[in-house]
Amino acid sequence: MLADAIAPAVAVEIPAIAARQRTEKKVFTDSEIVDGFLKTAFGAEYHLAGRVDRIRKYDSPVRVFADGNRADRKAQLAKVVADIGTRIKHLDIAMTEDSEAANVRVKMVRDHDLNRTIATFYGRERAKEIRSSLDPQCLSGFRKNDSYEIEHSDVILTVDNGDFVFLDCAYEELLQSLGPINDTASVPWTMFNDSVSMGFFDVYDQYLLNLLYDPRIKAGMTVQEVKAVLPDVLTDVRVWVKQVNQLE
């Protein structure tokens, strides 16, 4: 399968990631999956503006532009994007060389330039708040329209903190830029928990993103509207995640 061809190129060469893949939890109850989905798809870890009690997602193809001068990191990012595209059934995501055509811009910077870059994106005062509340190694955010459809995302990644940190940040921030922006300390299996570092697209988070991008889950939905359709959506998502990961 394509997923099997992509995964080793992204992760298995790195011992810290390979070790996590060997011990990864892959079996979850419906309530464990739904709980994590509701906690990450609603709310926001760092709330800048607008309501956060609705589903936010792209309703159009996602095109990712890598803004940086490290060819090796760009190649790794392209593999991450391809892996994400393979594992989320209803998401059309791919790299683009055309910055104007991109709706996700990934800014790659050296670690000592991170704070200055955040200030450029968010302004000096907000950057100071972000640093004090999150102390990030990487960061993502998005802009949505009045229908809660995401129109543009910005991701900031550092390139000089090693392969594990780069891949861990690339997966987490790219996936969060697609909608599940709320980190939570109460779900131990998700990379959207600040104390969890994965470095690959784990099975649990594949459940969350496949729920979000199922066509029955629409931008702008409330918690109650989502809960009404989740049982049927989860049934189909289980089939897909089992198939793409070759789970028993």
Side-chain angles (χ1 to χ4, degrees), residues 93-145:
I93 185 171
M95 299 295 297
T96 179
E97 293 294 321
D98 181 359
S99 63
E100 295 300 314
N103 44 14
V104 177
R105 178 181 289 267
V106 180
K107 181 74 172 175
M108 299 185 187
V109 301
R110 293 177 296 178
D111 187 59
H112 75 259
D113 292 327
L114 178 62
N115 288 338
R116 186 167 72 242
T117 305
I118 293 173
T120 301
F121 276 70
Y122 296 101
R124 192 172 297 175
E125 287 306 310
R126 279 181 173 170
K128 196 180 301 181
E129 293 174 35
I130 290 170
R131 285 199 304 275
S132 63
S133 62
L134 303 181
D135 189 25
Q137 284 185 305
C138 42
L139 196 67
S140 61
F142 54 69
R143 183 178 70 244
K144 62 188 184 299
N145 62 25

Side-chain angles (χ1 to χ4, degrees), residues 187-219:
V187 181
W189 314 288
T190 178
M191 69 178 81
F192 310 137
N193 180 332
D194 284 339
S195 64
V196 175
S197 297
M198 305 297 289
F200 65 99
F201 195 2
D202 57 290
V203 167
Y204 185 78
D205 289 315
Q206 289 179 49
Y207 278 121
L208 303 192
L209 269 296
N210 275 285
L211 286 175
L212 180 61
Y213 275 87
D214 187 279
R216 289 164 287 187
I217 304 291
K218 300 183 186 303

